[in-house]
Amino acid sequence: MKLQILVPQYHETDEIVKPLLDSIAVQQNVDMDDIGVIICNDGSDVYLSEELINSYPYEIRYYKEPHRGVSGTRNACLDHAKAEYIMFCDADDMFYNACGLWIIFREMDRGSFDTLVSSFVEETKDPDGNPVYVNHVMDSTFVHGKVHRRKYLIKNDIRWNEDLVIHEDSYFNCLAQKLTNNAKYCSTPFYLWRWRDDSVCRHDPKYLLKTYNNLIDSNSALVRELIARDHIEDAQFYITNMVFDAYYTMNKDEWVKQDNKEYRDSTERRFASYYSEFRKLFESVKKEVKSQVIMTIKNRMFGEGLFIEKVSFDDWISSVMSTYANI
C-alpha cells in the first residue's frame, strides 16, 4: 500500500467524518488498492457506524483506543500503519479536489521523499457569514497537507509529543522537516481545512489570547528536542522566532486592551520562564539571522493589523523579566 491516511476521532459523528471519506472515494487516476484509512477513536463513546466504515472502495480500519488526547491518538494511528507513506488528517477536514491523491503520488513517482510539505486551503467566513477560501503557502507548522515516509519517522523516532494537546502540530512537523535533507515542497494545494461552527479555535475570537501559552509550550518542547539531538542552529532559529513572535504579538491592539490584561499577564509570565531557559542560546544567534526572522514576522504581523510597535523590544524584554523572572 502506498499511502495510509491517519485520522484521530473523538466526538466527530458519521455526519462529520463522511465528507473526508467521500473526498477520498472520488479521487481520480489512482488505484484504490494503494489507499488506506486508519481511524482511531480517542476513548470516546461516540463511535462511527459499521455502515459508514464498510461503504467505501478502499480499506478503512477503525480502532477503539483508550483516551490519550489528539497527540496520543495520532501516535496510535501511526503505530497501526503499514503503508510506505502516511499523512495525518483531521476528522472534520477533506481533500480539496479530486486530484489530491494523484498529486501526492506524482510527487512520490518523481523521487522518494521523507517529508512533503504542501500549500493548503482554509475555509473561513466573512463578517456576513459567507464562505471564504484562503490559500496558505509555505506553511511548515499546521498538520494540514503534510505527507511523511513511515520508515523515516520510525527510524528517527519522530512522534507526536503527548504532553501537547493545543498547538501540537508545530512540534511534530518542524521536527520531521529538520531531521532530513530529503524534504519536498508542493505548491499545489490538495487539503482543505474545513470550517466548522462549533470548532473552538475558529469561532472564539479570543482563542489565541487563551492559548498562546500552549504555543510557547510547543515551541519549548521542540527546542529541547532539537538540543537533545544536537541540532543547535535549528534550536536557535526556533527560539528566535518565538521571542520575536511574542514581542510583536504583545504589541497588537487586542493584547494591549485592558479587558484582556489577564491573558497578557499569564502569557508574559510564561514567556519570562521560556526566555530564562533559552536566553543564552538566543543571545548567541547571529544578527543577520535575527534580522531575517524579524522581517518575516513583521510582514506577517502587518497583514494582521500591526502597523507600529508601542514599546521597543529591549524595553519589553526588560519589563517582562523584571516583573516575572523571579516569580
Side-chain angles (χ1 to χ4, degrees), residues 30-87:
V30 294
D31 187 340
M32 288 294 162
D33 289 338
D34 289 333
I35 304 164
V37 174
I38 293 175
I39 305 173
C40 284
N41 177 287
D42 182 21
S44 166
D45 58 1
V46 177
Y47 299 121
L48 301 180
S49 68
E50 290 188 11
E51 180 182 6
L52 178 73
I53 297 299
N54 296 327
S55 62
Y56 290 96
Y58 52 85
E59 179 185 83
I60 301 178
R61 287 192 275 157
Y62 187 43
Y63 298 93
K64 298 173 183 177
E65 300 283 341
H67 179 60
R68 294 165 62 183
V70 64
S71 292
T73 305
R74 286 178 178 145
N75 281 336
C77 288
L78 180 58
D79 290 338
H80 288 299
K82 301 296 181 184
E84 183 178 3
Y85 289 90
I86 59 95
M87 69 177 297

Side-chain angles (χ1 to χ4, degrees), residues 40-262:
C40 284
N41 177 287
D42 182 21
S44 166
D45 58 1
V46 177
Y47 299 121
L48 301 180
S49 68
E50 290 188 11
E51 180 182 6
L52 178 73
I53 297 299
N54 296 327
S55 62
Y56 290 96
Y58 52 85
E59 179 185 83
I60 301 178
R61 287 192 275 157
Y62 187 43
Y63 298 93
K64 298 173 183 177
E65 300 283 341
H67 179 60
R68 294 165 62 183
V70 64
S71 292
T73 305
R74 286 178 178 145
N75 281 336
C77 288
L78 180 58
D79 290 338
H80 288 299
K82 301 296 181 184
E84 183 178 3
Y85 289 90
I86 59 95
M87 69 177 297
F88 295 96
C89 289
D90 287 339
D92 54 357
D93 291 338
M94 63 189 295
F95 281 87
Y96 181 57
N97 56 51
C99 296
L101 291 182
W102 176 79
I103 292 169
I104 295 172
F105 289 169
R106 179 193 61 185
E107 295 298 334
M108 293 178 188
D109 293 340
R110 288 178 173 176
S112 65
F113 54 83
D114 291 331
T115 292
L116 175 71
V117 178
S118 81
S119 60
F120 67 90
V121 176
E122 175 187 1
E123 180 183 31
T124 183
K125 292 188 176 183
D126 66 18
D128 295 324
N130 300 309
V132 176
Y133 296 91
V134 180
N135 194 8
H136 287 260
V137 181
M138 292 299 290
D139 165 74
S140 62
T141 56
F142 287 98
V143 69
H144 318 313
K146 313 293 188 296
V147 183
H148 311 280
R149 188 167 62 87
R150 185 177 61 87
K151 288 185 178 179
Y152 159 69
L153 298 179
I154 294 171
K155 180 180 178 180
N156 291 276
D157 193 27
I158 300 172
R159 297 177 64 79
W160 294 82
N161 186 319
E162 299 191 18
D163 292 331
L164 305 174
V165 294
I166 301 175
H167 299 301
E168 76 288 345
D169 311 39
S170 58
Y171 172 89
F172 180 89
N173 289 316
C174 292
L175 196 60
Q177 292 162 45
K178 290 301 180 181
L179 298 185
T180 181
N181 293 320
N182 190 19
K184 276 188 175 183
Y185 175 71
C186 176
S187 61
T188 307
F190 50 77
Y191 189 102
L192 176 64
W193 180 17
R194 292 176 61 214
W195 174 273
R196 189 149 64 96
D197 286 337
D198 56 354
S199 174
V200 175
C201 70
R202 309 293 285 281
H203 76 256
D204 185 348
K206 294 192 176 184
Y207 177 77
L208 189 58
L209 289 159
K210 296 174 180 178
T211 66
Y212 199 91
N213 282 350
N214 301 102
L215 189 64
I216 298 175
D217 290 342
S218 182
N219 181 279
S220 182
L222 173 63
V223 168
R224 291 185 191 128
E225 187 68 21
L226 289 168
I227 292 172
R229 294 176 185 250
D230 202 29
H231 281 247
I232 304 303
E233 287 189 4
D234 291 328
Q236 288 176 307
F237 173 79
Y238 286 113
I239 293 169
T240 305
N241 269 274
M242 186 76 263
V243 168
F244 286 112
D245 187 276
Y247 163 62
Y248 286 109
T249 295
M250 292 301 104
N251 272 277
K252 295 172 74 173
D253 286 343
E254 60 264 33
W255 287 90
V256 177
K257 289 180 179 178
Q258 189 63 26
D259 57 353
N260 290 325
K261 185 178 184 301
E262 63 175 302

